Amino acid sequence: MELWIFLIVSTVAWGIAEIYYKKGNVAHEKYAHLKTTCFVGLFMGIYALVILLTQNINYNPINIVIYLPVSLCYIVSMTCSYFGVRFIEESISDPIENTSGAIVPILCAIFMHEKIEALQIVAIVVVVIGILGVGFVENNGKTDLRKKLGKKLAILAFAMPFCYAMLDATGTFLDIFYTDDALTSILRDVTPDTLEHVANCSYEFTFFFMAIGILIFFKIKHVKLFSLGSEANEVIEGEVGLKWYQKVALQKDKILAALFETIGQATYIFALSEGKGIAAVILGAGTVIISLTLSRIVLKEKLTKLQYVFILIILAGIIFLSLVSET
């Protein structure tokens, strides 16, 4: 019962977070994606500290350095995602990002010489067909990104979900060497009961330090964190004379995105400790379904029928791959 509660909360929280990511990362705000990364890192750091104070996991700080390759893959991938949704629809971005699950078996086959089953190949092919279809439709006809953004920015924006998928898949692949077995893990001072929490705290503390680095960068560049502008000398209509809580409210979407992201991450870790297989199946598709539904209801995103067809093909491939990978 606890497993299902954790999975449902995690899936819903991440689905809601995707909507606030889109709302908070507006195209005209130059550093919106970095501000979002900063807020997420601050929330993650607070949660990691709570875990250390409330859970007896015997945490060794050296694990932050040991786990750094995995952490950086996840953090950079998320920053790419935040940049991408500044310019493209969440309904397009999220399904592509979640194809990372189709990349992991390929990485395992290449570097660990694991065999890819026939059904996995079918699922991967289905996902690729869906991606190619979305890419073709998004860059042609009425939805031509090149006409709206210019050629260079259109290519960069549409590349971001793919960068997320590749980096997230790489992080997941590397994670195998850290969290597959407490006895063989290179993380220090871990047990089967604490392994997931130790890895997660290492990731979250790295995210926190990344947030501090971004704040230093903002200080050097004279960027105000709680402003919709990019530079300190920019005057945004309606921002002059605001009180501190009103300035914070300007970034409420980014803050809410960070809050729901952290809630999803927290419950996901507890779900993993209960059962990785079912977690992969539900989270692989549930987050996409929720974000697609909310994108239509909350964000009022309207895609063409052909776009929806290819997105559904991607979703079907993700679900099928999750199921066959765990059987």
Side-chain angles (χ1 to χ4, degrees):
M1 184 62 182
E2 287 185 355
L3 169 62
W4 284 98
I5 292 175
F6 289 139
L7 285 178
I8 291 171
V9 172
S10 185
T11 304
V12 172
W14 275 341
I16 295 174
E18 294 293 341
I19 301 306
Y20 282 113
Y21 283 139
K22 177 59 180 176
K23 292 181 67 177
N25 288 280
V26 291
H28 68 267
E29 189 177 4
K30 183 178 180 181
Y31 295 109
H33 54 294
L34 292 182
K35 290 181 180 180
T36 301
T37 302
C38 183
F39 284 124
V40 174
L42 294 176
F43 273 86
M44 291 283 192
I46 293 171
Y47 173 71
L49 183 60
V50 170
I51 288 295
L52 292 192
L53 294 176
T54 60
Q55 305 287 323
N56 184 23
I57 63 173
N58 190 31
Y59 186 75
N60 188 334
I62 194 63
N63 286 319
I64 296 175
V65 178
I66 297 173
Y67 199 68
L68 189 60
V70 180
S71 299
L72 289 179
C73 283
Y74 289 147
I75 295 168
V76 175
S77 71
M78 292 171 72
T79 304
C80 289
S81 174
Y82 306 152
F83 181 86
V85 294
R86 287 175 58 193
F87 306 103
I88 62 178
E89 290 85 352
E90 174 63 26
S91 303
I92 297 293
S93 177
D94 200 39
I96 295 176
E97 290 174 357
N98 279 275
T99 60
S100 60
I103 301 173
V104 175
I106 298 174
L107 293 177
C108 289
I110 295 173
F111 296 103
M112 299 177 66
H113 306 292
E114 291 187 2
K115 182 181 178 181
I116 302 181
E117 301 296 333
L119 289 178
Q120 288 180 308
I121 295 175
V122 171
I124 293 171
V125 170
V126 170
V127 169
V128 171
I129 291 173
I131 290 175
L132 292 175
V134 168
F136 175 80
V137 176
E138 185 71 359
N139 288 283
N140 291 275
K142 295 180 180 179
T143 60
D144 192 343
L145 279 179
R146 290 170 294 185
K147 292 180 180 179
K148 293 189 294 184
L149 304 176
K151 185 177 180 180
K152 290 184 179 180
L153 185 55
I155 294 174
L156 181 61
F158 194 67
M160 289 299 101
F162 294 96
C163 291
Y164 173 95
M166 287 297 302
L167 288 169
D168 184 71
T170 302
T172 302
F173 170 74
L174 293 175
D175 209 16
I176 296 173
F177 299 99
Y178 292 86
T179 62
D180 188 53
D181 189 338
L183 295 177
T184 59
S185 175
I186 61 176
L187 293 173
R188 303 285 179 82
D189 304 324
V190 295
T191 67
D193 292 332
T194 65
L195 179 58
E196 295 290 351
H197 280 300
V198 168
N200 187 57
C201 283
S202 301
Y203 158 65
E204 290 180 330
F205 279 129
T206 303
F207 219 141
F208 176 77
F209 293 139
M210 184 73 74
I212 299 301
I214 291 173
L215 289 175
I216 295 172
F217 170 77
F218 283 169
K219 186 68 175 180
I220 295 172
K221 298 291 289 186
H222 305 292
V223 176
K224 294 181 179 180
L225 181 62
F226 295 104
S227 170
L228 295 179
S230 298
E231 309 295 340
N233 59 359
E234 286 190 22
V235 178
I236 306 299
E237 185 178 355
E239 287 192 25
V240 179
L242 292 181
K243 297 182 179 180
W244 70 268
Y245 58 86
Q246 293 173 315
K247 292 181 179 179
V248 171
L250 291 175
Q251 299 292 354
K252 64 181 183 302
D253 290 327
K254 298 183 184 67
I255 294 172
L256 287 171
L259 175 61
F260 281 107
E261 178 69 38
T262 305
I263 292 172
Q265 182 68 22
T267 50
Y268 171 63
I269 294 303
F270 283 101
L272 281 183
S273 64
E274 297 290 334
K276 287 189 177 183
I278 190 66
V281 175
I282 293 178
L283 292 170
T287 302
V288 181
I289 294 172
I290 291 173
S291 67
L292 283 176
T293 303
L294 293 179
S295 295
R296 184 66 180 88
I297 297 172
V298 178
L299 302 178
K300 309 298 182 184
E301 291 185 353
K302 295 181 179 180
L303 307 181
T304 65
K305 292 181 180 179
L306 196 54
Q307 283 176 311
Y308 278 120
V309 168
F310 285 119
I311 288 173
L312 289 174
I313 290 175
I314 294 175
L315 183 57
I318 292 172
I319 295 173
F320 186 49
L321 181 62
S322 298
L323 290 171
V324 299
S325 296
E326 299 302 328
T327 55

